[in-house]
Amino acid sequence: MSCKTTAKSLWGQAFVLAAVVLSTVSMVSYAHADPLRLRADALAEAQGTSSPTGLVVVQGQDSLRPWVDAEALVWAGAKPLMTGDVLVLMAHLREPHGYGELRAGRFVVTTGAIRPVQIDGGYAIGRAPWGSTLETFGGLPVVPRFGSRSYDWIAGGRVAQRVGSIAALGLSFVERREDGEISNEEVGADVAAAPLPWLDFAAFGSYDVRNPGIAEARASAAARSADWRVELFASQISPGRLLPATSLFSVLGDFPSETLGATVRWHAAPRLELLASGAAQDVANGGGGNGWIRGTLKLDDESRGSLGLELRRVDVPGAEWTGVRTIAAISLGKGFRYATELEIVASDHPDGRGVAWPWGLSSLSWRSHDGWQVASAVEASASPLHRYETDALLRVSRALEIR
């Protein structure tokens, strides 16, 4: 099959899926001919000299019954060997008073201490007036291009309780099977609290039941005032336990990484914001750290334009480099907006791969009063893997009301 024929077939499939989404939404409103709201985005991208790629985004909602909506996100492929795929195809129902929600189709689910996972299945959540929450989900882990799945499935859930407006506690469980065998089984807990108007903290952790030990744990605490915000954070990640138990890499060894750091934000002036962050890290190859400082100056009170400068340093074994980044966004009037970013990274040990590696991005967008949006961007870079690389992106979107 030729590349041209393949592209036509993929775009055809994309619009068929869009029609499915619209019909899913319209089933609720058909009897009364209620208005529907549709948003469709089409993105086309060309990378270097390769074939163009495409992405179609379709969202539909009943504007008179906002408790039902649907969404489709279709990747239309790139080269002939990289065919298209469905990333999201989901129907979403919400109880009007907020007591429950249902999702069905292909989507990404994450909750509490459960890490994000893309599934073909269902998700349900129920909320009680006294602050209790029950979530459950189940389905088949997504395989690219609807590949075969032999007895693969995942299921899990979370129960949580809100304590007034001060805190929320949650317990979660997830089990995943591959070829019928348990590949991952974890229990987790999460907590978030704001005991004082100027103080809040959050933490979550997951424990690997199959290979006993902490799979991932994160915690943060933040204090704020009118002009300042200071946050302390810590984390521990065990890569060997994040991989399925059936993976070869999970039995080759586990090298947990630990991070401890802080972030500070200061509103130095009405339009000037300064941020700084630093962290110490303990990784497999030894100790190290990273840090960055960023300044952002707003060009107007409505934040339509801004200028930014960022300096970053990473110093851990195997990754030692310094980078500088500049950012500019300018409103040109009449719906036009221009933005540009430039970044240069210099490695401590280039090993003949170049003294510095630049990266740049420029974009121009336009928004009309009747729902049209057009945006284009050009990206260029050089790296240890590519002597040079250029990408281009074009996005066209339109918001419609169907009556």
Side-chain angles (χ1 to χ4, degrees):
M1 182 179 295
S2 67
C3 178
K4 183 177 181 180
T5 303
T6 303
K8 288 182 178 180
S9 175
L10 292 174
W11 283 102
Q13 294 176 15
F15 285 107
V16 168
L17 288 168
V20 172
V21 173
L22 293 180
S23 63
T24 303
V25 178
S26 62
M27 282 191 297
V28 180
S29 304
Y30 179 78
H32 303 285
D34 292 332
L36 302 176
R37 185 170 304 230
L38 168 67
R39 177 188 173 91
D41 296 335
L43 288 81
E45 181 179 11
Q47 299 183 350
T49 59
S50 64
S51 301
T53 65
L55 186 65
V56 177
V57 184
V58 179
Q59 297 171 311
Q61 184 181 48
D62 185 336
S63 59
L64 293 186
R65 293 186 177 89
W67 46 267
V68 56
D69 60 78
E71 179 180 355
L73 178 61
V74 181
W75 168 249
K79 300 177 181 179
L81 297 179
M82 299 173 63
T83 58
D85 205 353
V86 178
L87 304 181
V88 175
L89 182 61
M90 175 187 68
H92 185 200
L93 301 177
R94 295 186 297 273
E95 200 279 327
H97 301 92
Y99 292 136
E101 298 180 31
L102 292 174
R103 280 188 283 172
R106 172 169 293 189
F107 54 91
V108 175
V109 61
T110 179
T111 177
I114 298 175
R115 290 181 296 277
V117 59
Q118 186 183 23
I119 65 171
D120 290 326
Y123 165 89
I125 179 172
R127 304 182 182 93
W130 52 86
S132 298
T133 301
L134 174 62
E135 300 173 75
T136 183
F137 68 91
L140 308 178
V142 171
V143 177
R145 292 179 291 279
F146 297 99
S148 61
R149 292 173 286 197
S150 302
Y151 305 104
D152 295 353
W153 54 267
I154 186 171
R158 175 177 178 264
V159 293
Q161 178 63 48
R162 188 180 69 248
V163 182
S165 59
I166 297 178
L169 308 172
L171 297 174
S172 57
F173 173 78
V174 62
E175 179 178 300
R176 181 168 182 167
R177 291 178 177 262
E178 294 183 358
D179 294 325
E181 300 291 334
I182 296 178
S183 62
N184 181 260
E185 193 173 22
E186 293 181 8
V187 294
D190 60 273
V191 58
L196 298 171
W198 54 271
L199 177 66
D200 62 75
F201 69 89
F204 77 87
S206 58
Y207 186 85
D208 189 345
V209 178
R210 300 290 296 175
N211 181 21
I214 296 175
E216 182 177 11
R218 297 181 183 272
S220 66
R224 70 182 63 82
S225 67
D227 295 326
W228 290 87
R229 184 180 188 275
V230 180
E231 179 183 5
L232 302 178
F233 58 86
S235 68
Q236 177 178 324
I237 301 176
S238 179
R241 292 186 173 89
L242 299 184
L243 295 170
T246 54
S247 171
L248 173 63
F249 295 99
S250 66
V251 300
L252 296 181
D254 184 38
F255 302 95
S257 64
E258 300 174 347
T259 301
L260 177 64
T263 299
V264 179
R265 183 183 67 189
W266 176 36
H267 285 286
R271 295 185 182 178
L272 178 62
E273 181 180 78
L274 301 177
L275 289 93
S277 181
Q281 293 178 280
D282 184 11
V283 296
N285 297 326
N290 67 82
W292 55 266
I293 183 170
R294 179 191 309 153
T296 303
L297 176 64
K298 298 179 182 180
L299 300 180
D300 53 75
D301 294 334
E302 292 77 21
S303 301
R304 291 175 297 182
S306 63
L307 301 175
L309 176 65
E310 178 180 327
L311 301 176
R312 185 177 293 267
R313 172 65 184 175
V314 174
D315 194 347
V316 295
E320 300 167 330
W321 54 269
T322 302
V324 59
R325 181 186 184 201
T326 60
I327 307 170
I330 303 173
S331 176
L332 303 178
K334 297 184 178 180
F336 286 92
R337 179 182 174 86
Y338 174 76
T340 184
E341 299 180 34
L342 177 63
E343 179 179 301
I344 299 178
V345 171
S347 174
D348 293 3
H349 308 287
D351 298 328
R353 298 174 295 175
V355 177
W357 304 319
W359 173 87
L361 173 68
S362 290
S363 64
L364 180 65
S365 63
W366 172 75
R367 181 192 299 265
S368 70
H369 297 290
D370 56 356
W372 282 101
Q373 297 181 39
V374 181
S376 62
V378 177
E379 177 189 45
S381 64
S383 69
L385 298 178
H386 302 283
R387 191 170 183 179
Y388 67 89
E389 184 177 9
T390 303
D391 303 320
L393 177 70
L394 173 66
R395 171 176 176 149
V396 180
S397 65
R398 168 71 161 153
L400 303 172
E401 287 192 9
I402 304 175
R403 297 183 181 274

